[in-house]
Amino acid sequence: MSDANVGDHALEVAADKPWSIEQHAIEPIPSADRHGSPAELFRLWIAANMNYVVLLTGALAVTQGLSFWGSMSAILIGNILGCTVVGLSSIMGPKTGSAAIITSRPSFGQLGAVLPIIVSTLSAIGWFSINSVIATQSLIEVFKLIGLPGSPTFGWLALLIVLVAEITVALYGHATIIASERLVSMVLVVMFLGLLIFVVPKIDWATAAIGRKPHDAHLATWLLVMGLMFSYPVSWTNFASDYSRYLPKATSWRSIAWASGGGQFVSLVFCEAIGVCFAMAVGGDLSDPVADLPKVLSNWYLLPFLITVIVGSIAANVPNGYTAGLGLLALRLPITRITSLLVIALATLAFRIFTMLHGHALDLYEQWLGYILIWTCPWVAIVIVDYFMRDGQYDGADLMLWGRGRYWYSGGIYWPGMLAFLIGLGASFLFANGDLYTSPLMTRFFGGTDLSFESGLIAAGLIYYFLKRRDARRS
């Protein structure tokens, strides 16, 4: 089937229509229900990354002390690398027809895959909780602007409203997510451009040109920030194939990679560049990223912009909730997709209580990015290498089996994948310098540089390649 034919497939099918509850869970999508084209992935990835959390990711470059041009170069390089990985992690969907994290089973074994599935699910729940907090804080500010009291009762009401909106769209599923993301993306672009117009005149460009770090610390800081920029797109890799799995099996992997990675790159660079300007306009100190908005916005623009932040955070968060639900199902828990979403809502309530006690959401977010980087890079390197070594050939029926089938291997574990993953984790920690862990090697011999993602990707990918090739020769 040519790419042209693929693009002509029906835009919707009975099992996956916008504003109807999706009929499939993690089982492979049958051929009769395959539909769509890579172009819808481009639009989806733009919309899903057009939000305030991405803007704050860009702001981290300034809070770390980089100059304007140092921040922009870290953003460009980090996103070129990260979005390339996201594009490549999207290509398994049409071949497996299943959720992204299910691709762990061929490379780790059915039992061995439980480890990355657990970590992936916790990751998705964490992202869902973080985005919910940002949307909730924005809604609380809206309540204050319209004259409602800033009592804890209204804080919990704000969280409830946000969770109901997010869970409802995630419950409807794949087609509804793609349709709703397309609806909000253009509004978000216009409103974020408005923020940029407000913040640029407030920037001290003399200070912005030199940054706030000593010159001899620039490289270490730049590498750390570039790793943070890289970590945001890479944090989507365990989600990516969830949205390509409905495409016809013959869809070109190159068109999928370009559409997914390209859409995300456009959105991330746009938002993160605005985040850099916002952080510089407030002097590089974002003690409260939502409460800081009145420092740069006129009163007439503040309310509509806060509503935009709420809508954007919800739009970005729906895929997190959807993927977290699929992750719980991939653990073979005896629950439905609906029940899994309710579990995720309860986890978000617990996280909200934690953030209220901790008191600094931006610090939590930065620490979360470091955690994502450590585990995701080895995992995604393995599943991408595995895809190309098997030429994209998967047995959909065997992906769903337990205790038997070609992906059970020896006792349910495929040791090349497990060993490569553990070695990749070890390499990430060995070359890490972040809030999660600081390696003495990096502080003593590398000037505090962070090379965790490079080492994790390269080590895991190479180890898996050579171990799998040796295993293939033996068999």
Side-chain angles (χ1 to χ4, degrees):
M1 184 184 297
S2 68
D3 284 352
N5 296 135
V6 170
D8 291 339
H9 268 250
L11 295 180
E12 61 181 55
V13 294
D16 184 45
K17 294 195 301 184
W19 317 113
S20 296
I21 294 179
E22 181 185 357
Q23 301 302 304
H24 296 296
I26 61 169
E27 73 280 2
I29 307 300
S31 297
D33 288 341
R34 300 294 188 101
H35 64 101
S37 69
E40 73 183 22
L41 296 178
F42 184 81
R43 295 189 293 267
L44 168 72
W45 285 105
I46 286 181
N49 292 279
M50 190 72 61
N51 63 78
Y52 197 59
V53 171
V54 175
L55 187 146
L56 295 179
T57 306
L60 289 175
V62 179
T63 63
Q64 291 292 329
L66 288 185
S67 67
F68 176 80
W69 293 113
S71 299
M72 291 305 301
S73 62
I75 286 171
L76 287 171
I77 299 301
N79 281 305
I80 287 172
L81 296 175
C83 296
T84 298
V85 176
V86 169
L88 291 174
S89 64
S90 301
I91 63 180
M92 299 86 180
K95 300 300 184 182
T96 66
S98 187
I101 198 62
I102 297 298
T103 57
S104 300
R105 292 176 177 174
S107 48
F108 287 81
Q110 294 281 11
L111 179 59
V114 171
L115 173 61
I117 290 174
I118 288 175
V119 180
S120 170
T121 304
L122 291 174
S123 168
I125 292 174
W127 275 116
F128 187 82
S129 301
I130 287 169
N131 279 296
S132 294
V133 168
I134 295 294
T136 300
Q137 289 176 335
S138 301
L139 187 52
I140 291 171
E141 292 297 320
V142 169
F143 286 167
K144 293 178 182 177
L145 285 174
I146 61 177
L148 295 175
S151 65
T153 300
F154 282 95
W156 290 111
L157 175 62
L159 179 60
L160 178 62
I161 292 171
V162 168
L163 281 177
V164 168
E166 292 169 340
I167 294 296
T168 299
V169 179
L171 175 63
Y172 279 106
H174 172 267
T176 302
I177 291 171
I178 289 178
S180 60
E181 299 284 352
R182 184 169 61 246
L183 289 174
V184 303
S185 59
M186 293 309 298
V187 175
L188 295 175
V189 169
V190 172
M191 294 302 291
F192 280 178
L193 281 173
L195 173 63
L196 183 64
I197 292 171
F198 277 103
V199 300
V200 167
K202 294 179 171 63
I203 297 174
D204 179 355
W205 288 104
T207 302
I210 60 175
R212 296 184 294 119
K213 280 283 184 180
H215 181 74
D216 58 359
H218 275 181
L219 177 59
T221 304
W222 187 89
L223 287 171
L224 176 64
V225 170
M226 192 268 287
L228 290 173
M229 299 305 125
F230 173 85
S231 67
Y232 186 88
V234 167
S235 70
W236 285 91
T237 54
N238 54 319
F239 300 47
S241 287
D242 293 350
Y243 302 99
S244 61
R245 65 194 179 116
Y246 275 90
L247 296 179
K249 194 170 185 178
T251 307
S252 163
W253 70 265
R254 290 180 177 85
S255 62
I256 294 171
W258 276 106
S260 300
Q264 189 179 50
F265 178 82
V266 169
S267 191
L268 291 182
V269 171
F270 173 77
C271 288
E272 287 169 3
I274 296 175
V276 168
C277 294
F278 174 44
M280 289 184 169
V282 298
D285 180 23
L286 288 175
S287 55
D288 188 327
V290 175
D292 284 332
L293 284 170
K295 297 178 182 179
V296 296
L297 294 180
S298 297
N299 289 334
W300 67 268
Y301 197 75
L302 182 58
L303 179 59
F305 186 79
L306 285 171
I307 294 172
T308 300
V309 171
I310 296 166
V311 172
S313 296
I314 291 173
N317 218 15
V318 168
N320 295 325
Y322 181 74
T323 289
L326 296 180
L328 290 175
L329 296 179
L331 291 171
R332 304 179 188 274
L333 300 177
I335 57 176
T336 64
R337 193 169 68 84
I338 296 174
T339 305
S340 71
L341 290 171
L342 296 178
V343 171
I344 293 161
L346 292 175
T348 300
L349 287 173
F351 182 83
R352 176 56 176 159
I353 294 171
F354 178 73
T355 57
M356 291 173 68
L357 296 174
H358 188 279
H360 204 311
L362 194 62
D363 284 347
L364 282 174
Y365 175 56
E366 186 175 343
Q367 293 165 15
W368 186 254
L369 286 176
Y371 153 76
I372 293 295
L373 199 61
I374 290 291
W375 88 266
T376 308
C377 289
W379 173 79
V380 73
I382 290 168
V383 297
I384 290 174
V385 170
D386 182 77
Y387 174 92
F388 286 106
M389 292 187 76
R390 66 174 63 250
D391 197 26
Q393 300 301 310
Y394 300 91
D395 187 313
D398 278 10
L399 284 172
M400 299 296 114
L401 295 178
W402 180 259
R404 57 194 174 91
R406 68 176 62 189
Y407 304 130
W408 186 249
Y409 300 111
S410 177
I413 297 176
Y414 187 55
W415 286 107
M418 289 296 293
L419 289 173
F421 183 64
L422 295 174
I423 292 171
L425 281 177
S428 293
F429 278 106
L430 182 63
F431 293 94
N433 178 29
D435 292 322
L436 181 65
Y437 175 74
T438 298
S439 168
L441 178 69
M442 304 310 293
T443 55
R444 293 179 185 177
F445 302 105
F446 291 89
T449 300
D450 181 78
L451 298 174
S452 55
F453 86 78
E454 297 96 332
S455 55
L457 270 172
I458 294 170
L462 287 177
I463 293 294
Y464 184 74
Y465 173 79
F466 287 113
L467 289 179
K468 183 176 177 64
R469 191 171 70 169
R470 186 181 69 171
D471 184 64
R473 287 173 177 171
R474 286 180 175 178
S475 58

